[in-house]
Amino acid sequence: LGTPANIYLIDEPSAYLDAEQRVVAARVIKQFVLTTRTTAFIVEHDFVMATYLADRVVLYEGEPGVRCRASAPQSLLDGMNRFLAQLGITFRRDP
């Protein structure tokens, strides 16, 4: 983030960070992107950090190490619902 760019690729910023450091890192990255009005592609496997940082998501489906298909970018809500459905997880919706 020290070099000005139009697009940033950030690969697993939460790797090797504890829970408290992940929150700080996520806030710094989000504030940086919003303040500089740049685009960032963030590859992240931590669900909480990914949902905090994202406004759009790309989901990958397939068989690990065999084949993969990437979805078109979609809203965070639609993407997370699709991701959770693949895992067989649903949220209770109160009326």
Side-chain angles (χ1 to χ4, degrees):
L1 301 178
T3 303
N6 294 323
I7 300 173
Y8 292 91
L9 173 59
I10 305 171
D11 187 19
E12 297 204 52
S14 69
Y16 307 109
L17 300 179
D18 65 29
E20 292 175 7
Q21 292 171 328
R22 287 175 188 219
V23 171
V24 172
R27 286 184 182 152
V28 168
I29 292 167
K30 189 167 193 165
Q31 186 62 40
F32 176 83
V33 170
L34 293 174
T35 301
T36 60
R37 303 185 78 178
T38 55
T39 299
F41 289 97
I42 302 171
V43 177
E44 182 56 65
H45 294 97
D46 179 285
F47 186 79
V48 173
M49 190 161 179
T51 54
Y52 177 77
L53 289 170
D55 59 356
R56 299 185 57 81
V57 296
V58 174
L59 297 178
Y60 291 90
E61 302 174 88
E63 189 177 345
V66 178
R67 64 182 169 279
C68 178
R69 182 179 156 270
S71 72
Q74 52 197 299
S75 72
L76 178 61
L77 179 63
D78 291 340
M80 287 299 129
N81 282 334
R82 186 172 164 188
F83 171 71
L84 293 172
Q86 291 173 358
L87 299 175
I89 298 172
T90 59
F91 285 107
R92 183 181 84 188
R93 297 183 185 192
D94 293 331

